[in-house]
Amino acid sequence: MASETDDVDEKDVFISYSHSDSKEVAKLLGQELTSMGIAVWLDDIEMSIGSSIRESIDDGLTQSEYGVVILSKGYFEGTSEWELNGLVEKHTNEDDVILPLWHNIGHDYVYQQSPSLADLVAEEVDKENVQSVAASIYQIVREDRGEIDDWGGDTGTDGSPGFIDIDITFQGRFDPKVGKEVTIESWRNHNASNLTSLEATEIRDEDRGIDYTSSSKGTTMTVKRIDDEPLNGVISDIQELRSNKAEFTIRVEESRLEELSDDRDDYKSGFVQ
C-alpha cells in the first residue's frame, strides 16, 4: 500500500476508512470537522486484503495528532488479526491517540473480529449523526492533549453538537473559504434579537491576519454594536461569492452566542462607528 504522507502539512486528525462501505460517511465527517476548524487528512487508500492498515496508521500519525478509524465490515475484511492487534497496541501505548468509530456494525460483530478492539470505547457513526460525532472529536482535539475522558459521551442533553450556524452577508471584497477561521469584529442585525442572520461590517481573517471593512459600514439601520464582543467562528458553507459581496455561513460555539443579549432594548438605529 503506497504512503501518501509526503509533503502533507501537519493535521489535527486523520481519518482511516474503507472505500467499499464507509467512504461517504468519512467524507461527511471530514467536512464537518473542517467546518469546526479542525485540520483533517483523509486516508485516501482503498483497503484490500494484504494492505497494511498498521502502516497507514503509523504514517497518518506522523502527520496528525489523532487517528480516527472508521471500523466497518469492509474495514475488517481488509485487515488481518495482526493488524487489528496493532491498532489496540498503538492505542494503549501512545496516550489514546486512536479514536475508533463503528459504522453499520455493533459490539457483537466487533467482538467476533477482535475482542480486544471491542473493549475500546467507541462511538457509532452514520450519515444521520455525523455532526454530533464530529463535535465529540472537536472536544477531544481542543482539550489538553491526552485528556479524552469525554470520548463516547453525550454532547448535550438534546443530542445537539454544541454549535450553531450563522448566515453572514458582507458587502465588499472578501474571499471566504470553508474551514477558514474568521472573527466578525462588528456586525449589523436587521432582525433585532434574531442572531442567526447578520451583516458583517468588519471581518478579520485569522489565518492570514488581514482585516476587511464593509463598503456599507456607515449606513443607518437597526444595529447591535459588539465591538468589544466579537464573534469568532469557522466558515462552514458558502452561498454566494461576487467581487463586491459574499454570503457565507460560520459555525460558532453555541455557548458563545448565548452570552450575547437578546433584549430588544439593546438594539438601536444608528451609524456603526
Side-chain angles (χ1 to χ4, degrees), residues 195-216:
L195 300 178
T196 59
S197 181
L198 308 173
E199 179 186 355
T201 52
E202 292 177 301
I203 298 178
R204 179 169 181 81
D205 182 337
E206 297 294 351
D207 295 336
R208 301 175 62 190
I210 300 176
D211 295 313
Y212 298 86
T213 301
S214 171
S215 59
S216 63

Side-chain angles (χ1 to χ4, degrees), residues 1-6 8 14 41 43 45 52-64 90:
M1 178 176 61
S3 171
E4 297 190 7
T5 60
D6 294 339
V8 177
F14 83 100
W41 173 48
D43 181 8
I45 299 172
S52 175
I53 307 300
R54 178 65 180 272
E55 180 183 342
S56 173
I57 299 290
D58 288 340
D59 287 346
L61 286 177
T62 64
Q63 304 290 339
S64 311
K90 181 170 284 292

Side-chain angles (χ1 to χ4, degrees), residues 175-189:
D175 183 23
K177 293 187 185 322
V178 172
K180 175 181 290 187
E181 181 184 0
V182 296
T183 299
I184 310 300
E185 299 284 359
S186 64
W187 42 266
R188 295 182 176 127
N189 181 12

Side-chain angles (χ1 to χ4, degrees), residues 13-17 22-42 67-71 99-103 123-138 151 251:
V13 302
F14 83 100
I15 302 175
S16 181
Y17 63 98
S22 54
K23 182 176 182 178
E24 183 178 7
V25 73
K27 290 196 172 184
L28 288 173
L29 180 61
Q31 291 169 1
E32 286 294 333
L33 289 170
T34 299
S35 72
M36 294 175 181
I38 302 298
V40 177
W41 173 48
L42 280 176
V68 175
V69 181
I70 302 179
L71 300 173
L99 310 179
L101 301 176
W102 299 349
H103 178 56
E123 285 196 14
E124 295 184 12
V125 64
D126 55 37
K127 291 188 295 184
E128 301 302 321
N129 75 339
V130 67
Q131 189 179 57
S132 179
V133 171
S136 293
I137 296 171
Y138 172 92
W151 175 240
R251 185 155 292 172

